[in-house]
Amino acid sequence: MKKIRTAILGYGRSGSSMHAGAIEQNDAFEMVAVCDTDPERQEQAAERFGCAIYDDYHRMLEKEQLDLISIITRSDQHCEMTCDCLAAGVHVLVTKPWAVNADEARRMVSASEASGKLLLPWLPARWGCVLQRLQQLIAEKAIGNIFLVRHAVCSFATRCDWQTERRHGGGYLLNWGAHLVDPPVVLMGSPVQSVYGRMKQTINPGDAEDLFLAVMTLTDGTIVQAEYTIAVEDLPSWFIQGDCGTIVVRGQNMTLHKNIPDRPDDPTQFGTMKSAKAETIQEKIEGALYGDEHQIYEEIAQTVRGERTFPIQPAEALELSRIFDAIRTASVENCVVNLTSDGL
Ligand SMILES: NC(=O)c1ccc[n+]([C@@H]2O[C@H](COP(=O)([O-])OP(=O)(O)OC[C@H]3O[C@@H](n4cnc5c(N)ncnc54)[C@H](O)[C@@H]3O)[C@@H](O)[C@H]2O)c1
């Protein structure tokens, strides 16, 4: 079968590891070129792949016949690069956050439509083992009807790279939102109706937030809280409340409390909080927490060959950009932001 002629644009921390590794180890792809402005990165890529190396992606687009480009540069660079690559007739995979705001996301979607080329958003947490196990449990109503879902990451680590600077698309809402805001919304499968958010810079240098908290109300009435926070001790990564129990996840260890509350025969009495039918199940969820890049690239290969539809459509990633914009607006203006469905 003809190989997918592939290039990486941005061979940094993520491009050289997660993406290069998945492309390298999948026979469907041929690494034809790598583009990075850093001479050290260029040297590393040349040594590893023996492929063409560029410091200017416009030149790479002129010179190479490419089927697919994976864009893994700084977040503020994604939109322009994506639009240029699509206009040059190449399918594009773009890492998260695919755009710094919804206006950029709309431009990228339009560029894809105009070119007829694929625009593949990288949202690896959708392949995450915990999310997929939770999706099964929610579908089978293991804890009844869900009314509140919390998803959190805690860390006390600082960083001092471009991710601390707003002008480069830094900040933890954009950096972590794909892993924290998107999964609980996908889990419940209901669109976001309104958003309240807080963002704060606490321990990092630069001018971007290193903490965010978003409270979202979904169209079906479920409340979702997503946060990245700075703390020495961990919160549960998931805390899901239903009318027949509670699910608590720490890392990949899940505790499932099933508890159908007793209804007293005498309506003037309180029901007991813990029924005789209560049971607690512990489970270790195996797999990749934020998705297996090899599996995702296999699905990308099948999509590029026209054998399947990519599971994430650009409209879904655009909706996520709109949610991020709403969280930011809510935080800056200290208000609840309603998301209208005609905002695409
Ligand atoms: N789990 C994930 O999906 C995940 C993890 C980490 C990072 N990311 C995302 O990947 C992107 C890159 O993050 P990173 O940590 O690898 O950053 P990085 O700074 O390590 O890498 C960016 C690379 O782009 C190169 N570059 C800059 N300008 C360029 C240009 N004009 N042309 C070509 N190359 C250029 C830089 O030299 C650098 O090597 C970010 O958007 C980040 O959010 C995703």
Side-chain angles (χ1 to χ4, degrees), residues 131-149:
L131 175 66
Q132 293 192 345
R133 179 69 182 119
L134 292 173
Q135 281 175 313
Q136 287 168 353
L137 292 167
I138 302 304
E140 66 195 42
K141 291 208 176 285
I143 57 164
N145 296 309
I146 309 301
F147 48 84
L148 216 164
V149 179

Side-chain angles (χ1 to χ4, degrees), residues 9-15 18-19 35-38 41 55-57 72-75 77-78 81 95-97 122 124 159 161-163 174-175 179 290:
L9 172 48
Y11 191 73
R13 200 173 61 94
S14 184
M18 202 183 303
H19 294 268
C35 176
D36 198 295
T37 45
D38 179 344
R41 289 297 191 183
D55 62 2
D56 176 350
Y57 73 94
I72 334 284
T73 46
R74 284 190 327 252
S75 303
Q77 299 172 306
H78 296 169
M81 289 176 168
T95 190
K96 62 85 200 153
W122 180 257
R159 62 190 297 170
D161 61 351
W162 61 264
Q163 285 282 15
L174 288 175
N175 191 24
H179 297 328
Y290 293 109

